[in-house]
Amino acid sequence: MRRLLDRLDRAFFAEAPAERLAIVRLLVGGFALVYLCVRAVHLQRVGHLPPEGFRPIGVISVLSAPLPLWAVRALIGAAIAAGAAFVAGFKFRVAGPLFGALLLWVLSYRNSWGMVFHTENLLVLHVIALGLAAAADAYSLDARAAGRADAGPRSGSSAPAPHGRYGWPLRLLCAITVTSYFIAGVTKLRNSGLDWAFSDILRNYVAYDNVRKIALGDTHSPLGGALVRYGFLFPPLALASLAMELGAPLALFSRRIAVVFCGAAWLFHLGVLLTMAILFPYPLLGIAFAGFFELEKMRDLRRPRRAGPA
């Protein structure tokens, strides 16, 4: 048991470059900041809703009544400001945890007024994990202020050496990602058993979702409506989605499996978009899977190769 724990410890705290973690911070934080800015008007509209519609969830459960409109707007503004500092890597020891807390609060508050947007869960967890890590030791204002000038090779100064403190946040992000998919797979089995993969359950979901949206005048998927005529298509798709979700934890143990998992998960979300017009922008843009890849090596691919001797 001791040897197993030692191996797990070495794997979880394996060294990684500061640049890799910083690039993930820029991608995840940048997406979260843009997401907040785009949805800012929608997020503050809950301040105009009747108080009887308030059903606090998560951290919002500490409230017994809705906040005044000015407080809702102030918290959204504070979250956007903290998000900008998060992305820039400015005073990150404060801005990192603060942005994670404010993002959790603002999105949870919106979800306390009706439909819960579970598409936001993974993003919030990733931001919190990065906010508690040394994710601004490169490509940041903090790094520049510390004399590393963005801690990048182009500055002529040396970057921080690879270290376990840059590796564990990436492992944690990957663990959070695969756990979210694994839970989805377990939920399918608990609700439907293996009938999910060998019956018309998925087909019925697609049909119901599109009929409901048509009745409500909402955006629906003509492709999904057309495909439900062909029942033989859905059991293989359902089985593939279940295999991807239940097999997700294997991605933590092999880089090749991780690549297969990320590709399968991306195709899953593309299929959901095409058949039910449900958009999961965070994974569809690939940002949800950024922690699995050595992103700092993309910088080297952009450098022009020196011509060899004639």
Side-chain angles (χ1 to χ4, degrees):
M1 180 62 70
R2 180 62 180 272
R3 291 182 179 179
L4 176 61
L5 292 176
D6 287 342
R7 290 183 64 183
L8 291 174
D9 182 74
R10 288 194 300 270
F12 192 77
F13 292 96
E15 293 182 349
E19 297 96 331
R20 186 183 306 171
L21 182 59
I23 293 171
V24 173
R25 182 199 89 238
L26 291 169
L27 290 173
V28 175
F31 178 91
L33 179 59
V34 171
Y35 186 81
L36 274 180
C37 292
V38 169
R39 290 179 57 82
V41 174
H42 173 76
L43 292 171
Q44 65 89 32
R45 282 179 181 168
V46 297
H48 299 282
L49 296 177
E52 54 268 22
F54 183 58
R55 299 289 186 272
I57 63 169
V59 294
I60 311 300
S61 298
V62 298
L63 298 180
S64 58
L67 294 172
L69 180 57
W70 67 264
V72 174
R73 290 174 172 171
L75 286 166
I76 295 172
I80 291 174
F86 183 101
V87 175
F90 178 69
K91 303 293 183 183
F92 194 77
R93 289 187 177 182
V94 175
L98 181 61
F99 182 48
L102 287 171
L103 184 67
L104 174 63
W105 180 274
V106 167
L107 296 183
S108 297
Y109 190 79
R110 163 59 188 87
N111 290 339
S112 297
W113 293 87
M115 179 179 176
V116 177
F117 289 86
H118 61 278
T119 56
E120 301 166 341
N121 293 347
L122 187 58
L123 171 64
V124 173
L125 291 173
H126 280 181
V127 169
I128 292 174
L130 288 169
L132 298 175
D137 283 6
Y139 304 130
S140 69
L141 295 179
D142 284 352
R144 184 179 298 240
R148 292 194 291 268
D150 279 357
R154 290 177 296 176
S155 66
S157 61
S158 59
H163 195 278
R165 65 175 173 269
Y166 307 126
W168 74 258
L170 296 168
R171 307 298 188 284
L172 180 58
L173 259 64
C174 294
I176 291 171
T177 301
V178 300
T179 300
S180 69
Y181 285 92
F182 182 74
I183 290 174
V186 171
T187 301
K188 288 183 175 67
L189 288 180
R190 291 184 63 183
N191 291 338
S192 308
L194 292 177
D195 285 344
W196 169 264
F198 300 105
S199 69
D200 283 337
I201 293 178
L202 177 59
R203 181 189 183 191
N204 292 337
Y205 268 121
V206 172
Y208 168 78
D209 183 79
N210 282 292
V211 169
R212 179 182 62 85
K213 289 174 178 175
I214 292 172
L216 296 174
D218 200 358
T219 302
H220 68 285
S221 168
L223 177 62
L227 290 180
V228 294
R229 302 172 184 174
Y230 309 98
F232 67 91
L233 292 174
F234 290 89
L237 293 174
L239 180 61
S241 68
L242 188 62
M244 179 273 293
E245 291 168 341
L246 295 179
L250 297 176
L252 298 176
F253 303 99
S254 167
R255 187 173 298 277
R256 290 183 179 179
I257 295 177
V259 172
V260 173
F261 160 72
C262 293
W266 186 86
L267 288 173
F268 166 79
H269 289 293
L270 179 63
V272 171
L273 175 63
L274 293 178
T275 59
M276 292 190 284
I278 299 176
L279 176 64
F280 287 76
Y282 189 53
L284 271 175
L285 290 174
I287 301 174
F289 312 112
F292 287 99
F293 300 96
E294 299 175 346
L295 298 176
E296 77 282 0
K297 293 185 177 181
M298 296 176 61
R299 177 193 59 211
D300 300 328
L301 295 176
R302 294 198 304 267
R303 294 178 180 176
R305 296 182 179 179
R306 294 182 180 178

